[in-house]
Amino acid sequence: MPAKRPPIPLSRERIIDAALHIADTQGLRRLTMRRLGDALQVEAMAIYHHLPRGKDALMDALAEHVTAVHVDPSPDWREGARQWCRASRALLREHPGVLALALTRPPKGRAAMALREQTDQLAEAGLPDAPRAVRALRAYVFGAVAVEVQQSGWAEPMGEDGEPWRPPSAGGGDPASDADFESGLEAFLTGLAAR
């Protein structure tokens, strides 16, 4: 008889990955601590060791996961803003199940640090009033992704065939959505440059 494999240790990363999977395939409403514990093959109470505030901490961690975007600095603020907006969009599209959290939870932890980093990078590259511009760019990205998710049919993560909906991959989304996003982004950057 083969030896039984030891269980994979529970970690914050495993918890977040499992929670993202549930939210993306079944919807955020179906993400409960009990269901998450079942997915991780642990008692739900074991999760509280890694997330002492429970579900509230889990929701914050999920929002942080999809909004903590880092890009390399660029000497041109326009290019830096493009890179940041594209990276933000890609990460949000990978996890449409937690888009509502990204929209409603204030940036904390790594997400707040990433925003400060991006604001500083754009300011150093010459963007006037970078904090205001970053808030506006975030609003554009979040709004664009919300429209894409709405149009994609993700609102019902379980398809009519009972199979989970598959989110668009970060690299190959709908060409029309990609073109719309890029067109809107260029118009937005042109407006920022004119200020």
Side-chain angles (χ1 to χ4, degrees), residues 23-154:
D24 288 339
T25 59
Q26 300 176 36
L28 197 55
R29 288 188 320 259
R30 308 246 326 142
L31 176 59
T32 64
M33 297 305 264
R34 180 182 210 141
R35 184 169 279 123
L36 182 57
D38 290 345
L40 293 164
Q41 298 178 340
V42 299
E43 293 293 324
M45 291 306 294
I47 297 167
Y48 289 85
H49 176 72
H50 298 276
L51 298 166
R53 290 187 3 252
K55 191 160 183 185
D56 194 47
L58 177 63
M59 298 298 116
D60 285 345
L62 294 176
E64 180 181 312
H65 182 84
V66 298
T67 57
V69 175
H70 299 277
V71 296
D72 292 331
S74 173
D76 175 33
W77 69 262
R78 287 170 197 81
E79 188 54 36
R82 276 185 203 98
Q83 291 173 13
W84 183 78
C85 288
R86 289 171 183 153
S88 295
R89 176 181 178 240
L91 191 53
L92 288 166
R93 288 175 64 191
E94 283 182 33
H95 300 292
V98 294
L99 178 61
L101 295 175
L103 293 169
T104 58
R105 299 264 172 166
K108 295 179 183 177
R110 291 182 310 119
M113 291 186 332
L115 274 176
R116 279 192 297 274
E117 177 184 276
Q118 188 59 31
T119 302
D120 292 346
Q121 286 176 2
L122 293 176
E124 289 170 14
L127 177 60
D129 199 3
R132 180 185 242 176
V134 167
R135 285 192 303 274
L137 288 166
R138 277 177 47 107
Y140 171 70
V141 171
F142 285 14
V145 173
V147 169
E148 286 182 62
V149 169
Q150 178 190 44
Q151 291 175 344
S152 74
W154 187 87

Side-chain angles (χ1 to χ4, degrees), residues 77-78 81-82 127 137 182-195:
W77 69 262
R78 287 170 197 81
R82 276 185 203 98
L127 177 60
L137 288 166
E182 290 297 327
S183 175
L185 179 57
E186 289 309 311
F188 205 95
L189 295 175
T190 298
L192 286 176
R195 293 186 69 218

Side-chain angles (χ1 to χ4, degrees), residues 3-18:
K4 185 176 178 183
R5 285 185 153 178
I8 299 171
L10 191 59
S11 67
R12 183 174 160 77
E13 292 75 25
R14 270 192 69 217
I15 293 168
I16 291 169
D17 286 345

